[in-house]
Amino acid sequence: MPYDMFDPQKRSEIMSNIRSKNTKGEMIVRKYLHQLGFRFRLHGSKLPGKPDIVLSKYKCVVFVHGCFWHAHQDCKYYRDPKTNQEYWIPKIQRNVERDKKAIYDLTAMGWKVEIVWECELKKDAEGRLNDLVSSIRSV
């Protein structure tokens, strides 16, 4: 079994501090859209997948995905977990399947779905955000 540099109690503490809402990436996207005058709702609980950002005027939703949690393939921020693989790999795979279903359902309902990956914001945030705005407005 691969070595974990933290004991189980410390690892549990670290993992419990990871949030699913109001992540750094999500805050960057929200701030940018708001500065440009977009108005939106957060965490659309009435829509499949509870999109992070819902732009009803444009019938567009935005998911801001962490590369690790959503298994962003060919990304330097995603790698299979080294420890407790029996738990983590199926969990991440469930996230991916849930994402696919939400995208399918939203598209079937007539919504445009945009996904912003954590790595895109780290590599070229301005470029990715400009592309996002163009895509939203093209609806």
Side-chain angles (χ1 to χ4, degrees), residues 4 9 12 16 19 22 29 32 36 41 54 57 68 81 84 88 95 98-99 101 106 113 118 120 122 134 136:
D4 188 354
Q9 185 176 359
S12 179
S16 71
R19 298 288 160 234
N22 304 320
V29 174
Y32 188 81
L36 292 177
R41 299 255 180 236
V54 180
K57 176 180 176 180
F68 176 77
N84 202 6
W88 287 111
N95 290 348
R98 192 169 38 248
D99 293 343
K101 181 171 179 4
L106 286 162
V113 179
E118 164 191 25
E120 295 173 324
K122 290 180 180 183
S134 295
I136 292 168

Side-chain angles (χ1 to χ4, degrees), residues 33 38 55 58 60 62 112 132-139:
L33 292 176
F38 286 95
L55 298 118
Y58 299 91
C60 182
V62 180
K112 179 174 176 90
L132 174 64
V133 168
S134 295
S135 182
I136 292 168
R137 287 185 172 146
S138 72
V139 173

Side-chain angles (χ1 to χ4, degrees), residues 23-40 42 53 55 58 62 64 116 120-121 124-137:
T23 62
K24 184 177 178 182
E26 195 177 318
M27 299 303 284
I28 290 168
V29 174
R30 285 165 35 183
K31 181 178 178 183
Y32 188 81
L33 292 176
H34 193 267
Q35 284 175 341
L36 292 177
F38 286 95
R39 295 299 174 254
F40 47 82
L42 301 177
I53 299 170
L55 298 118
Y58 299 91
V62 180
V64 182
V116 177
E120 295 173 324
L121 295 173
D124 179 20
E126 188 174 347
R128 178 59 182 109
L129 293 171
N130 286 333
D131 290 347
L132 174 64
V133 168
S134 295
S135 182
I136 292 168
R137 287 185 172 146

Side-chain angles (χ1 to χ4, degrees), residues 59-63 102-103 106-107 111-115:
K59 196 128 186 197
C60 182
V61 297
V62 180
F63 290 97
I103 292 166
L106 286 162
T107 303
W111 288 84
K112 179 174 176 90
V113 179
E114 282 291 323
I115 297 174

Side-chain angles (χ1 to χ4, degrees), residues 62-125:
V62 180
F63 290 97
V64 182
H65 283 341
C67 296
F68 176 77
W69 298 106
H70 296 270
H72 191 199
Q73 297 303 309
D74 302 320
C75 172
K76 71 178 186 176
Y77 299 105
Y78 176 72
R79 62 175 171 68
D80 286 333
K82 300 273 188 273
T83 58
N84 202 6
Q85 290 182 327
E86 308 76 39
Y87 173 78
W88 287 111
I89 291 176
K91 177 175 179 47
I92 292 168
Q93 191 56 43
R94 284 191 307 272
N95 290 348
V96 171
E97 292 304 317
R98 192 169 38 248
D99 293 343
K100 286 179 187 174
K101 181 171 179 4
I103 292 166
Y104 178 84
D105 291 346
L106 286 162
T107 303
M109 295 167 66
W111 288 84
K112 179 174 176 90
V113 179
E114 282 291 323
I115 297 174
V116 177
W117 290 97
E118 164 191 25
C119 64
E120 295 173 324
L121 295 173
K122 290 180 180 183
K123 188 175 11 176
D124 179 20

